[in-house]
């Protein structure tokens, strides 16, 4: 019996299978069953066809899980405060939880009130849209849900076709199965285009109301919710009525959905739109030339757009920390502009900034020129028309004004007539309001210049001004303009001499010096500034303080030009030819390079690199630049662990002997105390520096500073030409540095320049260079006895000769001018007028 059971069981299974087949055959013989089978097969074939036509090449939803939207680059200053953004679109990313729920509900009421109920597709809405489109010949209407809009905005194109709508629906269902409703809403609220170059609700909130989303009132939330339908329409003044109607509809929908009450609805409907003219950035766009230079460096490192890589400037969402100092930058801008205007005052009108076509599109032409100015309430205007008594002018915002002829009486420096008579329609000019719609002409200086301030400890650049205004001329004269340095190169000539056995007390003859240049050119004879023949034998210090050309070229001739140009190269000033004229500044360099070289002098000869970027972080906070960056472990501990404070080791190679660098700085302190830069002496702080004036003069310079900040400035025409015989570094460039210091650094505690190990400070007579005993330096900067810095075993030797112990009386000079009353003028007065190349 046990053996029979398996046989019976197998027979039953076989019978069951035969029964299923038999049942199917019986059913297939019936017509309705066959039709049902045909329909199922057709449905499967249709689904396969739909997949092949619409869904086969759809993008993967996985892209949205780790979606990285294009984000602007944010720049912070030295204190960590955001000061600038690099953006071509307004974009700000927020988490879903950061959006007010009432704002979310406003968008749901306007766009997709069943969002939390459907699976990505609104079937009743689709049916209504299909019927409308079949019975209408106008623009097709849609019934896209928020999920479908996310699919279109982030993964598809804006193509108007049924094919795209089907692909959009398929993708929406996939998104719903992959992401939470909150995540979908977050993507939508952050990426939806809402006009005024804004993408996302927070950016639009700033663009239309100059508010963050958590500051919006109900009527403002409702307005933002209407923008997805027509982002470039509702924000314009001529569509105010349509915008109010649509906004009020959304408010009514919110009330019907139970999200606000009737009183809130009516109060919000009574409010005007309240739009700002153009919105603003949450971050003030500071820095001008400084931030433009940072942008250039970032683009060189990471690229400009998303196609250049994940960390591009305009899409990578970088966070950039800079040494930028708001106070110093403001002072640098004000000081340079004041210096340019001082020089240009009284010279007449320099002409229009640019020209455009003065047709009916003048406003857009002016706006697209991006020419502007932010000085003293000046504005850039286009001359639209001109009559005998006034000119009609227009501004980039479309407004217009009047320029009376009496407000444009400056002489036109090119023709000698009045500025008003020289104006033509289409000229872009600078004006300032005088009340109402009346304006007066202002002149933008034709002369220009550059300014840069740097830390001598690290090379960090605190401030940079490359001209009057970056919107007038993007050319950065602090980093791009190659100019002759004039006498500012002399410290490096004397530094080379110090490295070759000379001392600050070495005697050099200030007298005629000629060099034979061959049969073709004959003798080349050098001269001092002002043409003086010389002042006899003096110390190296005196020659540098008074900027004596003849003493400099004699020193260069004695030392040799090869080591001098090597020093200039090592200090990063540039590649110069080994000619004696190079020792007087005949080469070329930039403000940035020269300031950095002076900073290295103050840094005891250790190499520095000008640095505008401390570090850059990606959108997640990881430091990606510089590549060798590492954190300062333990610098931000909550409690002291008893170990020594972390200290940074010196960086950069030694490019100049530390004692040589200090001796040079010490002599340059004398330039400020009693030399060509003594205008700065009344600042009352330890300061070194050097003035410079090139042949012509075509450029005037000052470079110098304190132990903590070194700065430099030059003035000159972009196309070099004579600035006038009165132009000197001490009288034009020096006051610019002085104003900068007074406005940004005067509240700092003064500190002296520290001498490196090995320096010996010895009392000497600054006129003769002899060692002094029995007397001490006093507080008078022009006293004959001073402390001088010497390297070991190089100081003047002891002597028993009385005439070499006592300070020497100043010798008479044959070229010293006399007063009208017969008295001799002081060195400082003489040098102010004639002495030394300044």
């Amino acid at each position: 019996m046990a053996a029979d059971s398996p046989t019976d069981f197998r027979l039953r299974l076989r019978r069951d299978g035969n029964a299923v087949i038999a049942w199917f055959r019986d059913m297939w013989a019936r017509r309705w069953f066959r039709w049902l089978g045909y329909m199922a097969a057709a449905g499967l074939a249709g689904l396969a066809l739909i997949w092949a036509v619409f869904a086969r090449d759809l993008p993967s939803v996985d892209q949205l899980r780790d979606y990285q939207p294009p984000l602007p680059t944010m720049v912070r200053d030295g204190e960590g405060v955001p000061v600038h953004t690099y953006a071509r679109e307004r974009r700000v990313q927020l988490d879903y939880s950061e959006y007010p729920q009432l704002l979310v509900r406003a968008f749901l009421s306007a766009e997709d009130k069943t969002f939390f109920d459907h699976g990505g597709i609104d079937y009743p809405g689709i049916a209504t849209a299909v019927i409308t489109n079949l019975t209408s010949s106008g623009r097709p209407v849609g019934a896209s849900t928020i999920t479908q809009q996310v699919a279109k905005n982030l993964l598809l194109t804006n193509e108007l076709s049924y094919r795209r709508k089907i692909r959009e629906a398929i993708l929406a269902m996939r998104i719903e199965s992959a992401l939470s409703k909150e995540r979908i809403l977050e993507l939508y609220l952050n990426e939806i285009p809402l006009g005024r170059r804004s993408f996302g609700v927070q950016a639009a909130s700033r663009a239309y109301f100059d508010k963050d989303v958590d500051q919006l009132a109900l009527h403002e939330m409702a307005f933002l919710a209407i923008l997805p339908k027509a982002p470039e329409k509702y924000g314009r003044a001529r569509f105010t009525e349509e915008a109010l109607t649509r906004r009020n509809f959304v408010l009514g929908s919110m009330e019907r959905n139970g999200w606000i009450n009737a009183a809130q609805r009516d109060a919000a409907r009574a409010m005007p739109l309240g739009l700002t003219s153009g919105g603003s950035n949450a971050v003030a766009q500071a820095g001008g030339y400084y931030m433009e230079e940072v942008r250039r460096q970032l683009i060189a490192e990471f690229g400009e757009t998303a196609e250049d890589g994940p960390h591009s400037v305009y899409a990578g969402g970088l966070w950039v920390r800079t040494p930028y100092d708001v106070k110093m930058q403001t002072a640098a801008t004000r000081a340079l502009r004041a210096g340019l205007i001082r020089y240009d005052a009284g010279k007449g009108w320099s002409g229009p900034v640019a020209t455009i076509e003065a047709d009916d599109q003048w406003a857009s032409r002016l706006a697209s020129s991006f020419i502007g100015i932010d000085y003293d309430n000046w504005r850039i205007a286009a001359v639209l028309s001109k009559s005998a008594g006034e000119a009609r002018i227009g501004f980039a915002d479309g407004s217009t004004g009047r320029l009376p002829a009496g407000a444009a009486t400056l002489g036109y420096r090119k023709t000698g007539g009045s500025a008003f008579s020289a104006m033509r329609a289409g000229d872009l000019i600078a004006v300032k309001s005088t009340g109402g719609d009346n304006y007066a002409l202002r002149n933008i200086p034709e002369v220009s210049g550059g300014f840069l301030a740097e830390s001598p400890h690290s090379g960090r650049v605190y401030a940079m001004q490359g001209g009057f205004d970056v919107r007038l001329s993007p050319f950065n004269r602090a980093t791009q303009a190659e100019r002759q340095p004039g006498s500012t190169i002399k410290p490096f000539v004397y530094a080379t001499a110090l490295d070759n056995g000379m001392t600050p007390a070495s005697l050099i003859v200030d007298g005629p010096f000629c060099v034979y240049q061959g049969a073709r050119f004959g003798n080349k004879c050098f001269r001092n500034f002002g043409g003086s023949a010389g002042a006899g034998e003096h110390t190296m210090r005196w020659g540098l303080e008074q900027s004596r050309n003849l003493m400099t070229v004699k020193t260069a001739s004695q030392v040799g030009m090869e080591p001098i140009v090597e020093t200039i190269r090592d200090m990063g000033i540039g590649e110069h030819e080994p000619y004696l004229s190079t020792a007087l500044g005949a080469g070329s360099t930039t403000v940035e390079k020269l300031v950095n070289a002076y900073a290295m002098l103050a840094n005891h000869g250790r190499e520095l690199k000008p640095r505008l970027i401390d570090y850059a972080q990606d959108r997640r906070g990881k430091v990606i630049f510089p590549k060798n960056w590492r954190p300062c472990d333990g610098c931000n501990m909550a409690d002291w662990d008893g170990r020594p404070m972390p200290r940074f080791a010196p960086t950069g190679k030694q490019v100049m002997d530390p004692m040589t660098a200090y001796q040079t700085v010490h002599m340059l302190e004398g330039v400020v105390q009693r030399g060509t830069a003594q205008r700065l002496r009344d600042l009352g702080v330890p300061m070194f520096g050097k003035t410079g004036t090139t042949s012509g003069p075509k450029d005037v310079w000052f470079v110098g500073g304190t132990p903590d900040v070194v700065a430099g400035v030059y003035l000159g025409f972009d196309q070099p030409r004579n600035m006038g015989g009165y132009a000197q570094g001490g009288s034009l460039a020096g006051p610019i540095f002085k104003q900068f210091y007074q406005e940004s650094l005067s509240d700092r505690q003064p500190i002296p320049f520290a001498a490196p190990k090995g320096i010996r400070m010895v009392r000497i007579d600054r006129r003769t260079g002899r060692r002094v005993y029995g007397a001490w330096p006093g507080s008078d900067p022009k006293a004959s006895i001073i402390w001088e810095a010497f390297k070991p075993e190089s100081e003047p030797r002891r002597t028993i000769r009385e005439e070499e112990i006592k300070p020497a009386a100043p010798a008479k000079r044959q070229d010293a001018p006399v007063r009208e009353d017969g008295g001799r003028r002081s060195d400082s007065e003489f040098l102010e007028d004639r002495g030394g190349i300044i």
Side-chain angles (χ1 to χ4, degrees), residues 95-141:
D95 291 333
Y96 175 75
S97 61
E98 296 179 274
Y99 285 104
Q101 281 303 299
L102 197 58
L103 176 62
V104 174
R105 289 168 177 171
F107 274 88
L108 293 179
S109 296
E111 293 296 311
D112 189 358
K113 66 180 180 181
T114 63
F115 172 75
F116 282 100
D117 299 323
H118 62 64
I121 301 175
D122 180 9
Y123 294 103
I126 291 176
T128 302
V130 169
I131 294 172
T132 302
N133 290 336
L134 290 175
T135 58
S136 173
S137 60
R139 178 185 173 93
V141 299

Side-chain angles (χ1 to χ4, degrees), residues 83-359:
V83 292
H84 198 88
T85 60
Y86 301 118
R88 290 173 178 151
E89 302 166 339
R90 290 184 170 103
R91 289 184 181 270
V92 181
Q93 297 289 299
L94 298 180
D95 291 333
Y96 175 75
S97 61
E98 296 179 274
Y99 285 104
Q101 281 303 299
L102 197 58
L103 176 62
V104 174
R105 289 168 177 171
F107 274 88
L108 293 179
S109 296
E111 293 296 311
D112 189 358
K113 66 180 180 181
T114 63
F115 172 75
F116 282 100
D117 299 323
H118 62 64
I121 301 175
D122 180 9
Y123 294 103
I126 291 176
T128 302
V130 169
I131 294 172
T132 302
N133 290 336
L134 290 175
T135 58
S136 173
S137 60
R139 178 185 173 93
V141 299
S144 295
T145 63
I146 283 178
T147 312
Q148 287 176 275
Q149 292 184 57
V150 169
K152 180 190 73 174
N153 291 334
L154 301 185
L155 300 176
L156 297 175
T157 66
N158 289 323
E159 172 193 0
L160 288 174
S161 68
Y162 288 109
R163 179 177 183 273
R164 196 216 76 201
K165 295 296 292 184
I166 294 173
R167 289 164 60 84
E168 185 181 284
I170 296 171
L171 198 53
M173 290 187 289
R174 292 182 181 178
I175 291 173
E176 288 277 348
S177 65
L179 303 177
S180 67
K181 288 286 188 178
E182 290 76 13
R183 174 59 176 159
I184 295 171
L185 262 179
E186 180 183 306
L187 289 170
Y188 173 78
L189 294 172
N190 282 335
E191 294 299 318
I192 187 73
L194 297 175
R196 293 193 180 180
R197 298 188 301 112
S198 59
F199 288 77
V201 180
Q202 167 62 23
S205 179
R206 275 285 169 187
Y208 289 98
F209 299 109
D210 198 14
K211 296 180 179 179
D212 294 323
V213 291
D214 59 355
Q215 301 171 324
L216 293 173
L218 175 59
H219 69 283
E220 295 167 335
M221 295 179 181
F223 172 80
L224 293 180
I226 73 174
L227 292 174
K229 293 293 185 188
E232 298 298 338
K233 174 181 178 181
Y234 290 133
R236 298 185 179 181
R238 66 176 181 270
F239 297 114
T240 298
E241 290 302 320
E242 291 93 329
L244 285 169
T245 301
R246 177 66 180 164
R247 183 201 69 178
N248 293 342
F249 169 80
V250 171
L251 289 168
S253 179
M254 294 180 72
E255 191 269 333
R256 289 190 297 274
N257 293 333
W259 289 331
I260 60 174
N261 56 41
Q264 289 175 302
R265 177 202 63 195
D266 294 341
R269 282 179 170 177
M271 298 294 293
L273 291 181
L275 307 183
T276 61
S277 59
S280 72
N281 295 298
V283 177
Q285 298 297 82
Y289 287 99
Y290 190 110
M291 294 303 165
E292 176 60 19
E293 186 64 25
V294 171
R295 188 186 74 92
R296 289 192 187 106
Q297 294 186 15
L298 289 172
I299 289 176
E301 182 69 27
F302 299 112
E304 186 171 359
T305 62
E307 289 73 20
D308 297 320
H311 305 309
S312 64
V313 172
Y314 288 99
L318 301 177
W319 288 88
V320 181
R321 184 68 172 262
T322 69
Y324 179 82
D325 186 291
V326 176
K327 188 176 182 181
M328 287 196 207
Q329 180 62 49
T330 301
T333 302
R334 287 168 51 86
L336 181 61
R337 287 175 173 175
L340 296 175
I341 289 175
R342 274 195 305 271
Y343 172 81
D344 198 67
K347 294 181 172 60
W349 187 52
S350 58
V353 177
T355 58
I356 61 172
E357 189 174 347
D359 55 11

Side-chain angles (χ1 to χ4, degrees), residues 10 12 45 69 234 237 260 311 358 391 416 461 536 549 551 560 631 666 708 712 750 763 807 829:
R10 287 194 296 271
R12 275 199 302 277
Y234 290 133
I260 60 174
H311 305 309
V461 176
N549 286 358
M551 295 178 69
H666 193 56
D708 286 332
R763 290 170 290 161
E829 291 174 316

Side-chain angles (χ1 to χ4, degrees), residues 31-51:
R31 179 179 298 177
W32 66 269
F33 186 81
R34 288 200 304 274
W35 279 105
L36 186 63
Y38 294 149
M39 292 173 63
L44 292 173
L47 290 174
L49 182 62
I50 289 173
W51 181 88

